């Protein structure tokens, strides 16, 4: 063993590993109304810049680090998402949407290269390697699914000024990708404890992918702390999911929902009933209790790693978001921490060994944290009918009655969806203001800006057939208590029959739109515990739902019918022509001899005539004998 090399590695670990915590994890639970729980898992690992470049990995995953170094990716953001976030019922998104991705798979990275062609080549290498690591179809992200956003994303890491000019941002989506356990398993393998201990032991594929909404994120970026001489490479893994309490309590061997027996129904006593067989059951879903085993199917198996930081105060791994009136019961050996800056959060330090269980009993909904109002509501849908043309309509609502909101609207359209940019129209309509807001600075019915002033800036990159998709970025400002309606028309291209998927009649998926909020949210809007983990580039992000685009579909049975009919005609024509060319027709007089067939036929005829003659002579003799 090389002793100088060994002592140098020990020196790096003592100097940088103990000065900055190399691994931390946290679970935040927030009860939602009605009968749901938001669970946010956050894992952070890091390695010093020198150790990362020399591939001295301790808690930073080696498999991912080598891929990033080979592809020259200086910053990576990867998302796996399913479901839809219900902003009206659940409020603001966790992490202000920074850790959220669009439906399917979404990836963007800053690649270091001297030219755009070199950056795209390394981008393809990065996607192919990540596809094999996470068992996903990211190798299908080619030039038609790759865009270069201009205003939507900014680097979250600390990059040197002399290398910023050589960083190229590339963004790709797979809206049709189905996220499943095959993606969760390699995600857990990147963690130091591999999902065997700590809060990661709660992550079960059956519970995670049975949730109402879930997203998995991986962020790798350089961080340069102010109190540290050397920068570090930090990887942050996040799993956010909304679990339905009633659905999670169903046994795995019998997950089919069944009605309650009559003796367990709680009837509404404020209604009159004709007899005892009638009942209007009360909705008791808002007051359901839950435990960790009921939500995730298992308890927490101790802590993952011992804390390694500059002080002896490890951060608590579990936090519960809720007011002080929220009742919570835990197992023994737990220490509760309360921070004055976060009155709606209670954090728990659990023992390093043994199981940890948590119980939130039934209680009124007013014991839960209030639902925060998002800065913006977004809805996106398709319009029109027919197989040739269509339209897209987007409704963007500013619920605030005081503040305006500015944001960047980013859309990626496939090449076979050709928008007509001259049909882009926007209109602003006021919201119906309640009586309490009559004294606001912007009362309903008086828009503060003109429709043409809503779009401040536009960037459009047209698509090319089978080469690249269309890219549209809009800088928009919406006044208070107003709704912006944005719409445009598009034309559908006709694909080759080899370009259709196996289920062609289902349609093609269009990637969700990305909205980057530029207005910083007030402190009253932060409804979920957790830091964004870096510069979020403004007030957060919002992803709309994906679109289903029906395309003109040919009759795929026609090629087979044509092949069969054509083969039949060719066979008949070929046989006739071949007989006319090869067979020679001659008369009986021109025949030179009977031939083999003629000889055989002649002999058969002679035999038959001989037999017939014998039979006739025998009958004649018998007739003569009778006459005598």
């Amino acid at each position: 063993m090389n002793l100088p090399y060994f002592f140098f590695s020990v020196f790096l670990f003592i100097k940088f590993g103990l000065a900055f915590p190399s691994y931390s994890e946290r679970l935040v639970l927030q009860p939602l109304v009605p009968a749901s729980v938001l669970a946010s898992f956050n894992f952070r690992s890091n390695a010093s810049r020198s150790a990362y470049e020399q591939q001295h990995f301790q808690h930073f995953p080696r498999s991912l680090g080598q891929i990033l170094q080979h592809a020259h990716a200086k910053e990576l953001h990867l998302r796996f998402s399913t479901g839809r976030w219900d902003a009206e019922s659940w409020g603001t998104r966790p992490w202000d949407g920074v850790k959220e991705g669009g439906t399917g798979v979404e990836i963007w990275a800053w690649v270091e290269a001297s030219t755009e062609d070199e950056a795209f080549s390394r981008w393809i290498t990065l996607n192919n390697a990540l596809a094999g690591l996470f068992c996903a179809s990211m190798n299908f992200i080619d030039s038609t699914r790759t865009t270069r956003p201009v205003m939507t994303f900014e680097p979250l890491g600390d990059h040197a000024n002399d290398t910023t000019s050589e960083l190229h941002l590339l963004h790709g989506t797979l809206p049709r990708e189905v996220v499943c356990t095959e993606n969760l398993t390699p995600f857990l393998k990147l963690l130091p404890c591999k999902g065997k201990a700590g809060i990661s032991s709660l992550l079960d594929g059956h519970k995670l992918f049975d949730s109402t909404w879930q997203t998995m994120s991986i962020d790798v970026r350089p961080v340069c702390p102010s109190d540290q001489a050397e920068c570090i490479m930090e990887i942050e893994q996040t799993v956010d999911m909304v679990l339905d309490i009633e659905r999670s309590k169903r046994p795995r061997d019998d997950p089919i929902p069944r009605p309650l027996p009559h003796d367990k129904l709680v009837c509404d006593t404020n209604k009159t009933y004709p007899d005892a067989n009638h009942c209007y059951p009360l909705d008791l879903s808002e007051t359901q209790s839950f435990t960790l085993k009921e939500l995730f199917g298992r308890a927490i198996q101790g802590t993952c790693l011992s804390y390694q930081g500059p002080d002896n105060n490890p951060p608590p791994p579990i936090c519960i978001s809720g007011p002080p009136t929220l009742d919570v019961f835990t197992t023994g050996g737990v220490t509760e921490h309360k921070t004055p800056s976060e009155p709606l959060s209670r954090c728990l330090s659990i023992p390093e060994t043994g199981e940890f269980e948590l119980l939130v009993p039934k209680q009124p909904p007013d014991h839960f944290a209030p639902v925060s109002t998002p800065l913006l509501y977004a809805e996106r849908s398709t319009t029109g009918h027919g197989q040739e043309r269509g339209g897209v309509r987007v409704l963007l609502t500013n619920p605030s009655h005081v503040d305006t909101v500015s944001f960047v609207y980013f859309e990626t359209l496939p090449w076979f969806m050709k928008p007509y940019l001259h049909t882009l129209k926007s209109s602003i309509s006021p919201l119906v203001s309640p009586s309490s807001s009559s004294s606001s600075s912007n009362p309903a019915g008086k828009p503060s800006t003109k429709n043409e002033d809503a779009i401040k800036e536009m960037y459009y990159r047209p698509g090319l057939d089978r080469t690249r998709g269309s890219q549209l970025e809009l800088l928009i400002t919406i006044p208070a208590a107003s709704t912006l309606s944005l719409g445009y028309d598009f034309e559908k291209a006709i694909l080759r029959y080899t370009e259709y998927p196996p289920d062609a009649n289902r349609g093609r998926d269009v990637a969700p739109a990305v909205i980057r909020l530029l207005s910083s949210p007030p402190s009253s809007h932060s409804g979920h515990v957790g830091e964004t983990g870096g510069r979020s580039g403004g007030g957060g992000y919002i992803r709309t739902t994906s679109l289903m685009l029906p395309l003109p579909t040919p009759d795929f049975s026609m090629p087979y019918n044509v092949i069969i009919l054509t083969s039949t005609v060719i066979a008949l024509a070929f046989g006739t022509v071949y007989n006319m060319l090869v067979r020679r027709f001659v008369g009986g007089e021109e025949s030179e001899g009977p031939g083999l067939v003629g000889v055989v036929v002649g002999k058969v005829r002679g035999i038959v005539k001989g037999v017939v003659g014998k039979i006739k002579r025998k009958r004649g003799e018998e007739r003569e004998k009778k006459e005598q």
Side-chain angles (χ1 to χ4, degrees), residues 107 122-132 138-139 141 146:
I107 178 175
R122 292 177 176 177
W123 166 257
I124 295 299
T125 302
L126 175 65
N127 288 325
N128 291 338
L130 294 178
M138 286 179 286
N139 54 311
I141 299 180
T146 301

Side-chain angles (χ1 to χ4, degrees), residues 320-332:
I320 302 174
S321 179
T325 56
L326 182 65
D327 297 330
V328 179
F329 301 96
T330 62
T331 54

